[in-house]
Every structure is written in C-alpha cells, then in structure tokens.
C-alpha cells in the first residue's frame, strides 16, 4: 500500500493555454512567418535559422533569436518524445497537445527572451539515502526541453568544427565508429597510452574556461549566463573520470557530451596539427614503392588519436622516446591550459604488441593480420569438404528425383496419346498440351546436353568415333564426290571440333586450375609479407570483467554455473524475460565489433538464458525441465490475445550477429543496475513518467538498485567491476508510474532513464 503519495506529475487535464501568441510579442526583430506554426522545425530549417545569425565570424543572439522560438522548443520536445502506440482511435496523440497539458511553450519562449526563466525552480534535489551517497539534482521536463534546445543549437554551431577523431555526442560518431577507425586506419602501432583523469567535477573555474571557449564562436551573453546557471544549480554536471557518460544514467545531462567536446576542442586541434606535421615529415608512398631495391620496407612514423568524450587514446608508430615526448606534452597541455588533474600512474605508455590496453570498455592490442583473418584449420577444411560432399549427394538425389518424375510423366503422356489414337482417327486433343510437352522435353534435353558436355571422357569417345578414318580429307576422293556432300562434311567436322573436341576443354580446365593455384600462391605470399611488415588493431571484449560482472549481478554462482535471481520472482513472467532480454541484446549489440564475440555469445546464450529459466522455475516452484518444457528454450510467452512473443534473442539470431551492422550502442549498465518491482495499489491512476506520454493506464514500479541490493559501494573497485557504471542511489526505492508500452521499452533497453522524467516520482512506503 502506498503512503505519503506526493504527486509531482502535472495533471493531464491541465487547461490548455493559448497557442497562437505571435512572435513579435517578445521579439524586437521582424516577425517570423513560422511564429504561429504548430509544427516543430525540421533539421534543415533549424540549421538555416542558426546560420542566419552568423555575423563577423561569430554567432549572435542565439538564445533570443533561435532557442526562445516556440517552433525550436517544439522541435526539442519532439526529440525528447518517447515512442508511443496509437490511441484507441488508431491515431497518435498530437505533440503540441501533449506539451500544452504540461506547460505553455509560448510562455516559456517569452521567459527565455526576457531572461526571466527560473532554472532553479525547474530543478529537483533528490537526497541520498545513505551518508556515503551524494544528492542528485535533476531537471524537470520543462528544463529538459530547454537543455535539448541548447544542445541542438550548439550541435549545429560546433559539429562541423570538431576534428575527425572526436567521437561521442555526435551523430553517427559513436563507439563502433571509433573502433572501425582503429581497425581500418591505424597501421603498425608501436606504443600507445590512454589519458586517465582523477575523479573531478567541473567547478566554477572550469565552467568559466568553458564559457571563454564558447565565446570564441558565440557572442551571446544571455546564452552563456543560462549555461552558467545550469552548472550552478546542478542541473548540468560534468565529472571526469566517472563511468556514466553516454550510458543513459539519470545523473548525466543531455548537454554534457557536447560541452565536453567543446572543452576539449582546442586540445584536439593541437593534436591534429601535430599529426599533420608528422605526416609531412614522413610522407606516404605508393604501395609499389614500399620496398626498395635492397628489400628494406618503409614504415612512416605516424601519430593517431581517438577521443570518446573524456577517454583519450594516443597511438604512435615511432620510437618510445617520441611517445614519451608526446605523452609529456599531452599531460602538460591538459594540466596547464585545461586545468585538469591527470592520473600519472594510470597514464602510462604500453607496448602495442605485447600489452593490451583498455579503451571504451574494450581491450585493444596490435596483432598480425593473420590473427584477425586466420586461415582455415584442418578441422574446418574437413568440415567444408564434408559439406561439399553432402551438397553433391543432395544435388544427385534431386536430379534422380527429377528424372524419375519425368519418366512417369512421359509414360503418362504416351499412354494418353496412345488411348486417344485408338479411340479416334488421328490425334485429336481436348486440351492443348503441345506447349507443355515441348517445354518439358526441351528442359530435359538441355540438362542432358549440359551434363554430357561436362564429361570429358564421353566427349573424347564420341569425338574419336566421329573423326576417325577421315578418308574425305584425301584430294582424289574429294574431287570425285559432289561438292554439296563435301561442304556438308566439312561443316559437320567443324561442329564436331567445336563441340566435341576435348583438347580445348581440357586446356580451359587446366588454365582455370592454374589460375586458382596462382591466386592462392599470391594470397599466401601477400599474407606472409603482411605478417612480417604490418600490424593491425584487434578489439576484444573484456571477458574476465564480463564474467566478474555476471557473477556480481547473480547470473552465476562462484563456480560459474547459472543460478536464479530471487528478487526477480516478484515480477510477471513476461517482465522477467524482458529484463534478461534487454541485457542480452544490448550486450550482443555492444560487443559485436569484438574479435572474441563468440565468447560473449556463450555468456548470453548459456548463462543469461538458463539463469532466466531457473528464475522462472523458482517463481513457479517447478524444476528446470518443467520450465523448459513450458517456455521452451527460446523463452516464448503469450500476450493477452494469445499471440506468441519471443523477446530473448534466439540461438539463430545470436549466430547471425557480427560486426557487419555497426551503430552507436548503448551500454547495458542501466538495464542490469536496477530492478523494477511492480506494486499493487488501489490508488487513482497517474500519468506515465515517459516524456510527453499521455497514457494513464499505468502501473507503479519501485526502483531497486544493484549496489543497494548487494550493499556494495561502486567506488570500491575491489568489490565492484572496474568500468561498470551505477545509477545514483538517490533513486533507490523511488516509485514511478509507467504505462505498459514504456515499461516494455525500459526493460528491453530501448529507452533509458534519460527518456523519463525522474522528478515525477511517487514516494512509496
């Protein structure tokens, strides 16, 4: 039973404010033709609007002329809107109607234009439940719209000004894109190092420096003041050295990623200039000029860099002294100009060949090309030969079946024709089967001819019979025969030589075999040379950390065997399967670019799948065999209409996954860091906490965080998994009303805590 219900959710029946306030009520410029528009701006329109405020090398008045526009704020609302199913009428709810039930978009624009927007009033402080925890300041939905609008504008201003090796917080520039760059572009790495920062929050000093960097391109005091107020009230926070950037945690702001990129943009450009300078000193030669006459291979000295938000990786293909000088310069620049605290112990140089390095949640190492693309083993070759033999046997069986069916069909046709000829004078058919018979015999004849021409022995036998005893080649005999007969014989011999001469066919077959052998030799020689002269980057999943994570969460026991999670038995069967499916699918999507992806597949298909089966068996007080018989190995469930649903990835789907379809994956930390326990309550319905969701058929769920359930401090790396993030514990035991569609998306990992209004919680007892 819920007690002390505190409704911070605005009623969905809030009176609709006026929607047709002209823009010139809070603008000193000319009226915008889209002022009364009820549709959000398109990306191209927003870009044109931002560029129209570019004067004398800087962007001016972006807050008043762009961010404060109702259409821009409505576009921000559209970006924040979570997917919704159509209502009972089959129509999706209008975005403007959903926004108007919560706040007036025009009134918000007027407040921004007149610098009256109260950021502090739109922030909610959530106190930690334990003394060692820290409080969390979260923006409400109205402030999230402002943050998203600023992010959109800053993205247009800066995205094309960022360097190419800056990843994270950008469109189509995520983790998988960075890994693809490392695997395809980095050649012969010798030494590398990652920059590790001490855990440090952005204080006033860093915020002022960030604003100075922004003022180099943006001349808008109002916008700069809004960003400063966001940092002051805690609605936007940047903490380097943490594990929640880009993971969808509630303590991360949607504005943090682009602000980090802006803060490091000057550093990135310095690295880019050093790379270009080094490339000019050591130019790249053509592939034909890589080997000199003396057989000495040329390996140019290069510098590579990849930065994903606050994670920095620097690679060199030169000497260790060059790498040491580069590392000293990087540390000096970060600590001197950017005033950041670098962990000198963790920021160490490693050999790219003999040591692995952790970056973006993966392990990198320089290996030979043959390691990434190994030749087929003897076992695989035997399996392939066996498969080819089975394929030939199946083809022969199909051929025999076709011949048998044709023989039966031919006998039926002959029997039918014979009966008709006996009953009547001549052949009179009631049905026109002439074309069908001709087509059957034509295809049969074509296959027979092709099979005959493919056999060199039969062709040689017939060629010897037809060309032996060529007495017509004698002159005195040819002169005594008619000319028509001689010409016909010559033409016949030409056709025999053309179609039955096995010498040409044997020569073509030998040429094909020789070509295949030459290609194999060239491929082997090329692979041997590359193994001796080239190194590539291999990305592996940290399988030991994954196993430790699996054991920490409770998927397995201390012996590595799957075990049930008792806490989840309070959920519905479908919710249990969705919780496991969300972790499994996002694990597979995140590590699909890794070389040891098969090991991750084993963890998902064995540990997670059977842990889910054991949890379902424990809930229903049955055995594992009975649970397997009921839910099957694919964990099938049925909806209220009796339709079959499969949420957990099937073994066939897992087998087909790989690094061909890469994207910007979301880490799975946010899914397995919590459990949402459904509460039974007879209270009036609440509105769904998902952004701009108008559904009231909600169910109240209580948040149970992993670290509180295990009584473990995430800052303790000995008891916690290094690199695994954790949701701020101030959300522990909070209750959120969620509709069925969005609880499904939250379980399966399609949405995160960044997609719900965490300030609209209900205090439960």
């Amino acid at each position: 039973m819920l007690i002390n219900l505190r409704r911070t959710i605005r009623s969905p029946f809030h009176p609709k404010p006026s929607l047709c306030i002209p823009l010139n009520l809070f603008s000193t410029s000319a009226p915008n033709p889209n002022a009364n528009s009820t549709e959000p701006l398109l990306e191209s329109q927003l870009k044109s609007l931002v560029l129209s405020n570019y004067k004398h090398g800087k962007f001016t008045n972006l807050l008043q002329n762009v961010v404060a526009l109702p259409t821009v704020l409505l576009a921000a609302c559209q970006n924040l809107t979570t997917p919704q199913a159509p209502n009972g009428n089959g129509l999706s709810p209008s975005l403007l109607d959903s926004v108007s039930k919560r706040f007036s978009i025009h009134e918000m624009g007027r407040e921004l234009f007149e610098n009256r927007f109260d950021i502090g009033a739109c922030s909610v402080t959530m106190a930690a439940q334990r003394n060692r925890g820290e409080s969390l300041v979260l923006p409400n939905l109205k402030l999230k719209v402002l943050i998203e609008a600023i992010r959109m504008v800053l993205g247009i201003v800066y995205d094309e000004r960022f360097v190419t090796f800056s990843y994270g917080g950008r469109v189509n520039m995520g983790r998988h894109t960075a890994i693809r760059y490392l695997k395809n572009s980095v050649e012969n790495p010798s030494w590398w190092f990652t920059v590790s920062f001490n855990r440090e929050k952005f204080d006033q000093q860093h915020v002022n420096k960030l604003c100075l960097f922004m003022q180099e391109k943006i001349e808008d005091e109002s916008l700069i003041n809004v960003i400063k107020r966001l940092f002051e009230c805690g609605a936007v926070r940047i903490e380097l050295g943490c594990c929640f950037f880009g993971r969808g945690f509630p303590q991360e702001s949607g504005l943090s990623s682009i602000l980090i990129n802006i803060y490091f943009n000057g550093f990135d450009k310095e690295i880019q200039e050093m790379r270009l300078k080094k490339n000019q000193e050591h130019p790249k030669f053509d592939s034909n000029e890589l080997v000199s006459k003396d057989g000495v291979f040329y390996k140019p000295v290069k510098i590579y860099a990849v930065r994903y938000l606050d994670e920095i990786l620097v690679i060199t293909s030169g000497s260790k002294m060059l790498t040491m000088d580069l590392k000293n310069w990087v540390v000096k620049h970060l600590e001197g100009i950017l005033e950041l605290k670098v962990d000198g112990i963790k920021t160490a140089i490693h050999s790219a060949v003999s040591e692995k390095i952790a970056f973006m949640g993966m392990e990198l190492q320089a290996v030979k090309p043959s390691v990434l693309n190994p030749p087929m083993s003897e076992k695989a070759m035997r399996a392939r030969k066996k498969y080819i033999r089975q394929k030939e046997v199946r083809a022969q069986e199909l051929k025999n079946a076709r011949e048998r069916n044709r023989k039966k069909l031919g006998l039926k046709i002959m029997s039918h024709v014979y009966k008709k000829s006996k009953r009547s004078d001549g052949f009179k058919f009631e049905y026109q089967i002439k074309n069908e018979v001709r087509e059957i015999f034509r295809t049969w004849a074509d296959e027979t001819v092709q099979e005959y021409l493919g056999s060199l022995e039969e062709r040689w036998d017939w060629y010897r019979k037809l060309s032996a005893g060529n007495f017509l080649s004698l002159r005195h005999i040819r002169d005594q025969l008619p000319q028509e007969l001689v010409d016909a014989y010559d033409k016949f011999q030409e056709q025999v030589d053309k179609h039955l001469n096995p010498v040409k066919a044997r020569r073509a077959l030998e040429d094909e075999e020789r070509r295949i052998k030459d290609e194999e030799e060239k491929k082997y020689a090329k692979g041997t040379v590359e193994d001796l002269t080239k190194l590539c980057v291999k990305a592996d999943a940290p399988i030991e950390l994954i196993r430790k994570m699996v054991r920490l969460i409770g998927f397995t026991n201390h012996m590595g065997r799957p075990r049930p999670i008792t806490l989840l038995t309070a959920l519905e069967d479908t919710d249990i399967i969705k919780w496991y499916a969300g972790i499994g699918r996002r694990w597979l999507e995140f590590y699909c670019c890794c070389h040891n992806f098969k090991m991750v597949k084993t963890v998902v298909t064995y540990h997670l799948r059977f842990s889910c089966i054991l949890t379902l068996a424990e809930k229903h007080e049955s055995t594992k065999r009975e649970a397997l018989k009921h839910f099957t190995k694919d964990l099938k469930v049925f909806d209220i209409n009796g339709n079959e649903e499969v949420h957990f990835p099937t073994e066939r789907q897992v087998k087909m996954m790989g690094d061909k379809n890469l994207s910007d994956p979301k880490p799975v930390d946010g899914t397995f860091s919590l459990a949402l326990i459904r509460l039974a309550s007879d209270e009036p319905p609440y509105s769904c906490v998902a952004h701009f969701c108008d559904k009231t058929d909600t169910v109240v769920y209580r948040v149970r965080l992993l670290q509180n359930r295990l009584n473990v401090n995430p800052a303790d790396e000995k008891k916690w998994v290094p690199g695994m993030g954790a949701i701020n514990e101030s959300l522990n035991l909070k209750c959120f009303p969620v509709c069925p569609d969005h609880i499904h998306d939250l379980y399966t990992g399609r949405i995160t805590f960044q997609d719900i209004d965490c300030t609209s919680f209900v205090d439960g007892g």
Side-chain angles (χ1 to χ4, degrees):
M1 192 69 182
L2 292 176
I3 60 173
N4 298 329
L5 295 178
R6 183 170 70 86
R7 303 189 183 212
T8 59
I9 307 174
R10 293 185 179 272
S11 172
F13 306 104
H14 188 277
K16 184 183 297 185
S18 176
L19 301 178
C20 297
I21 301 176
L23 182 66
N24 53 12
L25 287 180
F26 54 91
S27 177
T28 58
S29 59
N32 193 321
N34 295 326
N36 297 332
S37 175
T38 59
E39 297 295 330
L41 282 183
L42 301 177
E43 184 179 357
S44 58
Q45 296 174 333
L46 179 60
K47 186 174 182 179
S48 300
L49 183 61
V50 173
L51 294 178
S52 64
N53 292 274
Y54 185 76
K55 298 177 182 178
H56 306 294
K58 290 188 177 182
F59 293 88
T60 60
N61 298 328
L62 291 178
L63 183 66
Q64 294 181 342
N65 296 344
V66 181
V67 177
L69 293 181
T71 51
V72 175
L73 296 175
L74 202 59
C77 296
Q78 187 179 42
N79 287 352
L80 294 176
T81 302
T82 52
Q84 299 185 37
N87 52 24
N89 300 326
L91 300 175
S92 299
S94 171
L95 174 62
L96 187 60
D97 292 341
S98 299
V99 175
S100 301
K101 293 175 181 178
R102 292 161 175 84
F103 57 87
S104 171
I105 202 77
H106 290 81
E107 181 63 27
M108 179 179 175
R110 185 187 296 109
E111 292 176 356
L112 289 171
F113 184 83
E114 299 175 355
N115 291 325
R116 295 187 294 104
F117 190 85
D118 191 353
I119 296 178
C122 297
S123 303
V124 177
T125 302
M126 305 179 69
Q129 297 180 352
R130 295 187 289 186
N131 295 330
R132 65 186 180 187
E134 58 178 345
S135 60
L136 180 65
V137 179
L138 295 177
N140 63 5
L141 187 55
K142 185 176 181 180
L143 185 54
K144 276 190 174 182
V145 172
L146 173 60
I147 292 174
E148 177 64 18
I150 296 175
R151 187 203 64 80
M152 293 164 51
V153 173
L154 292 181
I156 295 175
V157 172
Y158 282 99
D159 192 62
E160 296 181 357
R161 291 172 171 80
F162 293 143
V163 297
T164 55
F165 58 81
S166 172
Y167 298 90
R170 304 174 62 187
V171 180
N172 299 326
M173 296 286 282
R175 286 181 174 85
H176 282 173
T177 312
I179 293 296
R180 186 190 291 116
Y181 166 75
L182 290 172
K183 292 164 62 174
N184 298 337
S185 300
V186 177
E187 295 183 0
N188 302 317
S190 302
W191 306 93
W192 52 23
F193 64 91
T194 57
V195 179
S196 298
F197 296 99
N198 294 326
R199 192 155 186 175
E200 176 187 17
K201 292 183 180 179
F202 261 41
D203 53 15
Q204 189 64 35
Q205 179 183 3
H206 297 104
V207 174
N208 293 337
K209 188 174 289 292
L210 172 64
C211 294
L212 288 177
F213 292 155
M214 296 179 62
Q215 288 174 356
E216 295 176 0
K217 282 295 176 184
I218 300 175
E219 188 176 347
D220 189 351
E221 193 68 25
S222 301
L223 180 61
I224 300 298
N225 291 334
V226 168
I227 294 177
K228 287 183 179 180
R229 292 204 302 270
L230 288 173
F231 276 100
E232 290 174 359
C233 69
V236 174
R237 51 179 283 179
I238 296 178
E239 184 176 351
L240 302 182
C242 62
C243 297
F244 57 77
F245 280 134
R247 306 192 181 214
F249 288 167
Q251 59 264 35
E252 178 192 3
S253 172
L255 197 58
S256 301
S257 299
I258 191 168
L259 293 181
I260 290 176
N261 289 334
I262 295 173
Y263 195 80
F264 282 97
N265 189 35
F267 168 77
D268 295 341
K269 290 185 176 180
E270 292 286 343
I271 292 288
Q272 182 73 356
E273 291 179 2
M274 294 180 64
R275 292 183 59 198
L276 295 176
K277 183 179 179 181
K278 188 62 65 176
N279 291 340
Q280 292 175 359
E281 294 177 358
H282 302 272
K284 183 178 180 180
F285 287 85
D286 187 75
S287 58
N288 298 325
E289 303 176 359
L290 285 177
V291 184
S292 64
K293 296 181 180 180
D294 299 331
V296 178
F297 289 88
Y298 174 75
K299 295 183 179 180
V301 178
K302 288 184 174 293
I303 298 175
Y304 303 94
V306 174
R307 184 182 61 80
Y308 183 83
L309 297 178
D310 61 336
E311 298 184 63
I312 303 173
L313 172 66
V314 181
I315 309 171
T316 65
S317 61
S319 63
K320 188 174 183 180
M321 293 300 298
L322 170 66
T323 312
M324 291 179 63
D325 295 339
L326 183 59
K327 191 201 80 167
N328 295 334
W329 179 88
V330 168
V331 174
K332 182 179 178 181
H333 189 282
L334 293 175
E335 292 183 341
I337 298 178
L338 298 185
E339 300 179 357
L340 301 175
K341 296 180 181 179
V342 179
D343 190 343
I345 298 177
K346 295 183 179 180
T347 307
I349 298 175
H350 299 273
S351 172
V353 180
S354 59
E355 297 179 84
K356 292 184 178 181
I357 192 168
F359 183 64
M360 293 193 305
M362 302 175 191
E363 295 178 347
L364 307 179
Q365 187 177 9
V367 296
K368 299 177 181 179
S370 60
V371 176
L372 297 178
N373 301 304
M376 294 181 64
S377 62
E378 294 183 1
K379 183 178 179 180
M381 294 174 66
R382 290 196 301 268
R384 182 166 182 80
K385 290 180 180 178
K386 181 179 178 181
Y387 169 74
I388 293 175
R389 287 196 301 268
Q390 292 176 350
K391 189 176 180 181
E392 292 175 353
V393 170
R394 286 195 297 267
Q396 186 65 32
E397 291 176 352
L398 290 175
K399 176 185 174 183
N400 296 338
R402 286 196 302 268
E403 291 181 353
R404 183 172 61 251
N405 294 335
R406 286 169 179 166
K407 182 178 179 181
K408 292 181 179 179
L409 182 60
L411 291 175
K412 288 182 180 180
I413 293 174
M414 296 300 296
S415 175
H416 176 76
V417 171
Y418 179 72
K419 290 179 181 179
K420 288 293 184 181
S421 63
K422 287 182 65 177
R423 294 177 183 176
S424 61
D425 298 333
F427 295 97
K428 296 180 181 179
F429 299 104
E430 297 178 359
Y431 302 99
Q432 296 295 330
I433 63 171
K434 180 179 179 180
N435 295 331
E436 287 79 359
V437 173
R438 181 182 288 114
E439 181 66 21
I440 291 172
F441 282 98
R442 185 184 66 80
T443 56
W444 196 354
D446 290 342
E447 292 182 3
T448 305
V449 170
Q450 293 296 329
E451 181 183 0
Y452 166 74
L453 294 177
S455 175
L456 294 178
E457 289 77 10
E458 293 187 7
R459 291 173 64 178
W460 172 254
D461 185 42
W462 279 99
Y463 179 77
R464 182 173 52 81
K465 291 178 180 179
L466 294 175
S467 60
N470 190 3
F471 62 93
L472 288 181
S473 60
L474 301 177
R475 169 71 73 180
H476 63 278
I477 295 179
R478 293 172 65 90
D479 294 342
Q480 298 178 14
L481 294 176
Q483 187 63 33
E484 293 81 1
L485 177 61
V486 174
D487 294 341
Y489 179 78
D490 292 340
K491 292 180 180 179
F492 174 73
Q493 287 297 325
E494 290 178 1
Q495 297 299 321
V496 170
D497 290 337
K498 179 179 180 181
H499 296 287
L500 298 180
N501 190 354
V503 177
K504 297 180 180 179
R506 184 176 289 108
R507 187 179 297 112
L509 184 62
E510 291 175 353
D511 293 342
E512 181 67 19
E513 293 178 353
R514 191 181 302 108
R515 185 186 63 82
I516 295 174
K517 186 177 180 180
D518 292 342
E519 288 182 355
E520 291 179 353
E521 291 179 354
K522 290 180 180 179
K523 184 178 180 181
Y524 176 77
K526 182 181 178 182
T528 304
V529 172
E530 287 182 348
D531 282 349
L532 295 174
T533 60
K534 186 178 179 181
L535 291 174
C536 302
V537 176
K538 181 186 71 169
D540 280 341
I543 199 66
E544 293 299 328
L545 292 181
I546 292 177
R547 289 170 179 168
K548 184 177 179 181
M549 197 182 306
V550 166
R551 187 165 56 252
L552 175 68
I553 299 169
F555 294 132
T556 61
N557 55 20
H558 65 283
M559 298 180 62
R561 303 282 182 86
R563 61 175 295 274
I565 300 180
T566 307
L567 178 66
L568 299 179
T569 55
L571 302 178
E572 299 289 337
D573 294 347
T574 306
D575 291 342
I576 294 174
I577 296 174
K578 288 178 181 178
W579 186 81
Y580 279 95
I583 298 174
R585 288 188 181 276
R586 290 172 67 180
W587 240 334
L588 295 172
E589 292 174 0
F590 186 79
Y591 292 113
C592 68
C593 61
C594 296
H595 186 258
N596 59 345
F597 184 48
K598 289 184 178 180
M599 304 182 74
V600 181
K601 291 181 180 179
T602 303
V603 172
V604 174
T605 56
Y606 176 63
H607 295 96
L608 267 67
R609 187 188 303 274
F610 282 95
S611 175
C612 181
I613 292 172
L614 291 173
T615 303
L616 293 170
E618 181 175 331
K619 175 187 175 181
H620 296 285
E621 298 180 353
S622 62
T623 62
K624 182 180 73 172
R625 188 182 298 273
E626 293 174 348
L628 268 172
K629 185 177 180 180
H630 182 269
F631 294 98
T632 72
K633 201 172 182 180
D634 292 333
L635 297 172
K636 297 179 182 179
V637 291
F638 296 91
D639 59 7
I640 57 177
N641 297 324
N643 299 322
E644 187 178 274
E645 293 181 345
V646 178
H647 302 286
F648 199 90
T650 62
E651 292 185 349
R652 182 178 180 84
Q653 291 175 344
V654 173
K655 187 180 295 184
M656 297 300 293
M657 289 184 176
D659 60 349
K660 294 183 179 180
N661 299 321
L662 302 182
S663 60
D664 187 8
K666 298 178 180 178
V668 294
D669 302 31
T671 305
F672 60 64
S673 293
L674 60 91
L676 298 175
I677 308 301
R678 181 172 180 172
L679 301 182
S681 172
D682 56 355
E683 297 294 331
Y686 298 86
S687 296
C688 180
V689 294
H691 292 164
F692 301 111
C693 180
D694 298 328
K695 293 186 177 180
T696 56
D697 55 336
T698 58
V699 177
V700 180
Y701 291 86
R702 189 193 302 276
V703 176
R704 296 289 301 273
L705 296 182
L706 176 64
Q707 64 267 28
N708 293 76
R709 178 165 59 90
L710 301 176
N711 195 21
V712 176
N713 185 9
D716 188 0
E717 294 186 357
K718 295 182 179 179
K719 297 183 179 180
W720 197 254
V721 179
M724 186 177 77
I727 297 176
N728 190 287
E729 65 176 17
S730 60
L731 292 178
N732 189 47
L733 300 181
K734 292 294 187 294
C735 300
F736 295 98
V738 191
C739 67
D741 295 330
H742 287 124
I743 193 61
H744 166 76
D745 294 340
L746 194 60
Y747 272 127
T748 55
R750 297 178 182 175
I751 63 175
T752 63
F753 268 84
Q754 286 288 309
D755 300 311
I756 66 175
D757 185 10
C758 295
T759 62
S760 301
F761 64 90
V762 178
D763 284 334

